[in-house]
Amino acid sequence: MRIDDPYALVAPYTRQMMSFLLFDPDPEHVLLIGLGGGSMAKFCYRYLPNARITVVEVDERVIAMRDAFFVPPDDYRFRVVHDDGARYVTQCERPVSAVLIDAFDQSGVAPSLATVTFFDSVSRLLGPKGVAIMNLHGERQRYDDHLQCAKAAFGTRTLLAQVTGNENTLLYALAAGAAPPSAKHLWLRARHLQANIPLNFRHYLKLIREGKSL
């Protein structure tokens, strides 16, 4: 976190995860699984004033540090929930515009999220324009189970996109029945978003187009 700008997204993968806005530029409800330093939660809170934001964090010690990282206090549209993300998605209020998953333990991506049940629950949560994005890091064998479970739940509605400049990979999974916007519409949307939010959405769109299906 930058002390002089605590709402900035420092890590490249967190900036690229905001590409969910290409699919729904005016989300009603954004669900984040994993709080960490709160960078994505803070960014969404600042730049998406019409969105409800729910953050689920399993480690109470991380939640206890929220003030040190300038995570906003809970209010009518922002809250941090102490729960296991895999359990929470089975009972979360529907629909959700986007699910952003950035949950790690000492061994890598949280193993509790490597189940078909988890990805099925995420799929059921998503609204018509919804998208889930999961941050993956390191060698593929560390998260191959997650990919197989995502494919079992989402089928061909999945995509892997590399993050520029580091070892992170983003897994995109689209809502059932979703009709992806046309190429022209996506480009216009990226240009509009980039004019209003300080992120390189046109570059993120390029990386999505270069991505590979599971």
Side-chain angles (χ1 to χ4, degrees):
M1 184 184 73
R2 287 175 50 186
I3 299 299
D4 63 334
D5 188 2
Y7 281 80
L9 293 175
V10 176
Y13 82 87
T14 61
R15 297 195 291 270
Q16 193 167 324
M17 286 184 77
M18 292 301 108
S19 60
F20 78 88
L21 292 169
L22 291 166
F23 301 89
D24 186 354
D26 189 22
E28 293 184 10
H29 185 194
V30 179
L31 173 63
L32 297 96
I33 298 178
L35 174 64
S39 59
M40 288 192 292
K42 291 183 292 186
F43 193 87
C44 288
Y45 187 73
R46 168 168 285 188
Y47 290 100
L48 303 176
N50 297 322
R52 224 167 13 106
I53 301 156
T54 303
V55 189
V56 181
E57 172 55 54
V58 70
D59 193 335
E60 60 186 7
R61 296 168 299 176
V62 173
I63 298 175
M65 294 292 292
R66 63 185 291 176
D67 290 345
F69 286 91
F70 300 95
V71 174
D74 287 8
D75 62 21
Y76 71 97
R77 68 180 189 91
F78 182 90
R79 66 183 182 128
V80 176
V81 179
H82 179 212
D83 202 349
D84 180 85
R87 179 173 54 198
Y88 186 84
V89 295
T90 65
Q91 59 193 28
C92 180
E93 180 183 344
R94 306 174 188 176
V96 173
S97 308
V99 182
L100 306 181
I101 307 160
D102 186 22
F104 286 76
D105 60 18
Q106 296 88 338
S107 61
V109 186
S112 66
L113 307 183
T115 68
V116 176
T117 300
F118 170 72
F119 285 101
D120 275 338
S121 296
V122 171
S123 179
R124 288 194 295 269
L125 276 182
L126 293 173
K129 296 184 288 184
V131 61
I133 304 178
M134 174 179 267
N135 175 38
L136 305 168
H137 183 268
E139 298 297 326
R140 179 161 175 154
Q141 58 263 32
R142 294 178 61 184
Y143 52 80
D144 193 60
D145 287 345
H146 297 77
L147 299 182
Q148 296 306 316
C149 292
K151 185 175 182 179
F154 284 89
T156 58
R157 296 175 283 117
T158 53
L159 180 78
L160 284 178
Q162 197 65 34
V163 176
T164 302
N166 59 29
E167 296 181 355
N168 295 73
T169 300
L170 298 185
L171 167 64
Y172 291 77
L174 300 180
S182 67
K184 181 180 179 180
H185 195 177
L186 280 171
W187 186 87
L188 291 172
R189 188 174 286 176
R191 188 174 67 173
H192 176 75
L193 286 166
Q194 197 160 320
N196 292 277
I197 298 176
L199 294 174
N200 193 350
F201 286 96
R202 283 180 286 187
H203 179 62
Y204 308 149
L205 177 57
K206 176 177 179 290
L207 293 173
I208 291 172
R209 286 174 171 166
E210 294 173 350
K212 299 179 179 179
S213 299
L214 290 183

